[in-house]
Amino acid sequence: MIPALDELLDALHRFAEAIGIETQELQQHETPKKLRYTNTAFPVRMLRDLEQSSITEMQSRFGSSLSLRCSLADLPVLRIDGNDTATDLDTLRDETDSSTSVNIVFEIDKQALVQSWGLNKDSQHAFSLFFYSVSLERELESGLSDPRQLEQSLWSDSPCQAVALVADRSVMLTGTFIAILGNRETARLETLPAINSDYIESEKQTHDTCRDAVRWEHRWTDFLTPRYFDFSADPESLEEQSVRLFSANGVNIGLLFTADRIRNLSDGFIAAYSEASSSCEVRSLTTDEVDDKFSIVGADVTRGLAAWAYDERWRTDRLRLLQVALTRVLSRNDSPYSCQRLLGVAVQLEQEVQWHWKTFISDAVESYVTEETELENEIAETVDGYESQVSSMIASLSGTMLAAVGVMIGSFIAAAFKTKFNATIFAFGIIGYMVYLVLFPGVYNMLHHLIRYRTMNEIFDKRTQRFMRLLGTEATQAIIGEHVSRAQGRFCRWFIFTIVALVVVLILAGLAAWFIPSHVQATEEETQLNNVTTEIETQQISNLPSTKVSAESIEPVIAEPAAKHPEGEALVSPVK
């Protein structure tokens, strides 16, 4: 459970007062991770009056994050670690009775303290504790000249929501990637939303785009972008110096992300902008410029324009348009231009940018419709190309099947013209067809279809990339849909089927060339054998002895008179 920060701070002050450490000294020695006070000549007078109740209170509130070391040269006289007091106070008084000062190291490990509250246990948030707002302000001031240092102190090593707890203020500032909560706002920790991973990925793309578009002389940030500094705050919090400094850091990040090039300075940088006929330079904000006159509204508009320029769909167009508009507005003044003055004309700059953008969009819409129509025509042509490929393969396969039947019949007839079936002629006919089948329908036609299919894919992919740049990735993919992928699928299925069919025909032709001649020859041999057998049987019958006829059987015939010719002559002579 998170304790009340103001009560925690009061306990720290009581203990510091009891041992003689001024509050201002604590403020000077606080860093984002630790509060570490060291003094090699610390007056021992106040330490002698230290009571056990003060130590117990500190131990109960800070636990193992608390550490106090006191020593005379190399001789320890007091050591406090969390709940253990290794050296009692009587020993401290006895050992320092003749001394006026000791070496003291007083430390609170704020990271360990925050973790003991159950925080810093997920990758969505990076928690940091500041007992004093001036310590946070120091970090924000250093970020004006070195954004990477601010990135490491608040956000640590990876993109997340930085949550800074400030014990001596009631400030409240919240955003997608930042939250600064004062002593009265710690209850909001329980309702902090998790960051959508899409936001983090989108800002990573923004950062990568910036590094390609803007010429940085060195790496200013690892992942920070202008959107990391989007925030909302109540009117009372807007008066806080820490909020002004945070907003100023957002302005500097905005300059880093929108300039044509960046020139380094010892205490910041100069952002250079240019167009065809003019140029200007803007110096980054410094600590001295962030005062009561600092324009939060101007800073918010300037940072917002930088974030607007990196919209995912219009990133390239918006960035260039903003650079041109900013150059035209600022080139009317002396260079380098004060960033404070830039904030003063931020509203005018925003109006000019929006006007130019509307003009650009009106032309872009007409261009968009034209490009969309062209993409639809491209899709239709590509699908027709795949379908014509499929039709060609079907026609070729049908012709191949018909040719197979024709070759089979023709070869058979040619071989059967001889008295004896000529297996060589039949085999040569089939083998010739098989060679033709492999070379032309197989290798030539199918290779042609495959090369044409790949060429169509490459051409369509290149044109799709162009349309993605013009229309956007999502819009292009939505227009393409599944039309092309379905046509590609049909082509692949028919391509595989055709190859399989050709292989089957090839195998059947080979089997026919092998088995049909042997089968016909076997049939002929069987026929010849049957003919020989029949001839032998006929010859055997003709060689049998003639049968004798008895006189009685022919006697009636002899007795009959011979038939007469009409002229009276006998046709048959009488048998004698």
Side-chain angles (χ1 to χ4, degrees), residues 175-197:
T176 303
F177 294 96
I178 184 66
I180 300 177
L181 305 177
N183 50 35
R184 300 175 188 173
E185 308 296 338
T186 54
R188 294 180 178 270
L189 288 173
E190 299 178 359
T191 60
L192 285 178
I195 299 180
N196 191 320
S197 59

Side-chain angles (χ1 to χ4, degrees), residues 419-421 518-536:
T419 304
K420 184 178 179 181
F421 183 82
S518 59
H519 179 73
V520 172
Q521 288 176 355
T523 303
E524 286 182 343
E525 290 175 358
E526 183 179 355
T527 302
Q528 290 177 358
L529 180 60
N530 291 336
N531 291 339
V532 170
T533 303
T534 303
E535 289 177 1
I536 293 173

Side-chain angles (χ1 to χ4, degrees), residues 111-112 114-127:
Q111 288 293 98
V114 168
Q115 290 177 5
S116 70
W117 298 341
L119 303 178
N120 263 358
K121 293 192 175 179
D122 62 75
S123 60
Q124 294 287 327
H125 305 93
F127 293 92

Side-chain angles (χ1 to χ4, degrees), residues 14 21 35 59 73 96 108 148 166 197 209 290 333 336 347-348 354 361 423 464 489 508 519 524 543:
R14 285 193 295 269
I21 301 178
L35 189 158
Q59 290 174 332
T96 60
I108 296 177
R148 200 171 184 184
V166 185
S197 59
T209 302
V290 186
N333 300 274
V347 175
Q348 174 190 347
Q354 293 300 332
I361 283 296
T464 300
L508 292 177
H519 179 73
E524 286 182 343
N543 293 333

Side-chain angles (χ1 to χ4, degrees), residues 387-401:
E387 294 298 338
S388 66
Q389 290 272 80
V390 172
S391 300
S392 177
M393 283 190 291
I394 294 174
S396 176
L397 182 60
S398 300
T400 300
M401 296 299 182

Side-chain angles (χ1 to χ4, degrees), residues 39-141:
N39 192 338
T40 57
F42 187 76
V44 76
R45 178 178 57 84
M46 298 294 290
L47 281 173
R48 293 195 185 99
D49 297 332
L50 182 63
E51 297 181 357
Q52 184 63 43
S53 59
S54 298
I55 298 175
T56 303
E57 182 184 18
M58 285 293 289
Q59 290 174 332
S60 65
R61 290 189 179 277
F62 293 91
S64 60
S65 65
L66 173 66
S67 175
L68 177 64
R69 300 281 192 278
C70 295
S71 61
L72 287 171
D74 295 330
L75 176 64
V77 295
L78 181 65
R79 188 182 70 197
I80 301 174
D81 288 314
N83 298 323
D84 300 326
T85 303
T87 305
D88 59 33
L89 296 176
D90 291 336
T91 303
L92 169 67
R93 297 185 184 99
D94 294 340
E95 296 290 345
T96 60
D97 184 53
S98 58
S99 301
T100 58
S101 64
V102 294
N103 180 19
I104 185 173
V105 178
F106 173 58
E107 180 179 299
I108 296 177
D109 187 343
K110 297 191 294 181
Q111 288 293 98
L113 181 60
V114 168
Q115 290 177 5
S116 70
W117 298 341
L119 303 178
N120 263 358
K121 293 192 175 179
D122 62 75
S123 60
Q124 294 287 327
H125 305 93
F127 293 92
S128 55
L129 172 64
F130 293 90
F131 292 116
Y132 304 103
S133 60
V134 293
S135 302
L136 173 60
E137 290 167 10
R138 277 200 306 271
E139 295 301 318
L140 294 171
E141 288 173 357

